Amino acid sequence: MSSRELALFGTSADPPTEGHQALLLGLAQRYGQVVAWASDNPFKQHGAPLELRAQLLGTLIESLGNDQVQLAQDLSSPKAIETLDRAAIRWPDRQLVFVVGGDLAGQIPSWYRAADLLQRCRLTVVPRQGHPMAAGALERLRDLGAQVELLELPVPATASSAIRGGQENSSIPEVLWPELLKHNLYGLTSKLAP
């Protein structure tokens, strides 16, 4: 772990899950400092407005009680290169490490100015249980100039999409239930709460 490394993790957080919680804690152990934000993913439909997803992610981060992990919502942009620009201005002396789940690795070459992004930071890909990485994804990223690290972390197999679809709710961190119920999100009711 280098004190100069700063892990950048953007997520839809729609809603945040125990998987997000485990990932953030694992990244803090590996990199020392982690900043996260909720973002609109142009390749997805979202179940809640960005402002509310950011609030949920902030609640989850606060519940971790780990000052190595912080919410930096001002980094949020649908364009990863804009996020990286904002981070580089804010932390000019840090080595920026952009973190994505393995399921997104295959999408990165289609991102806006992907080659610029990949040449200006390190990329860490964290495989997701139950969500295989596209064949050849890492090689395509390296062809674009990426310095790629594959980081295996003990992250439970959770999926926000399963919660949005009403198929699963056991991976919702308990600290988020009051806000989810208050805003009547994802079809959840007090009958389902732990």
Side-chain angles (χ1 to χ4, degrees), residues 118 136-150:
L118 295 171
L138 297 181
E139 291 76 20
R140 284 191 293 283
L141 292 169
R142 288 185 181 107
D143 289 346
L144 286 173
Q147 300 172 52
V148 181
E149 174 186 15
L150 193 60

Side-chain angles (χ1 to χ4, degrees), residues 9-123:
F9 178 63
T11 175
S12 294
D14 195 20
T17 66
E18 291 174 349
H20 291 96
Q21 184 176 322
L23 177 62
L24 290 167
L25 290 171
L27 291 172
Q29 286 182 334
R30 168 65 178 87
Y31 296 107
Q33 187 69 42
V34 181
V35 294
W37 62 92
S39 185
D40 281 334
N41 181 333
F43 298 99
K44 286 184 179 179
Q45 294 288 329
H46 298 288
L50 179 60
E51 181 180 315
L52 193 48
R53 290 183 280 121
Q55 180 184 335
L56 292 169
L57 183 61
T59 298
L60 178 69
I61 289 172
E62 187 176 314
S63 77
L64 298 177
N66 184 331
D67 59 7
Q68 293 175 282
V69 182
Q70 69 184 62
L71 182 69
Q73 190 57 31
D74 58 316
L75 297 181
S76 182
S77 170
K79 295 178 179 169
I81 191 74
E82 290 177 1
T83 293
L84 187 65
D85 288 343
R86 293 171 187 170
I89 291 167
R90 190 164 168 184
W91 295 284
D93 298 330
R94 303 297 291 270
Q95 182 176 17
L96 303 178
V97 181
F98 206 86
V99 179
V100 298
D103 55 321
L104 292 183
Q107 289 181 8
I108 294 173
S110 66
W111 288 5
Y112 176 74
R113 293 180 50 201
D116 287 346
L117 171 79
L118 295 171
Q119 292 169 19
R120 293 179 42 208
C121 64
R122 284 197 6 245
L123 179 69

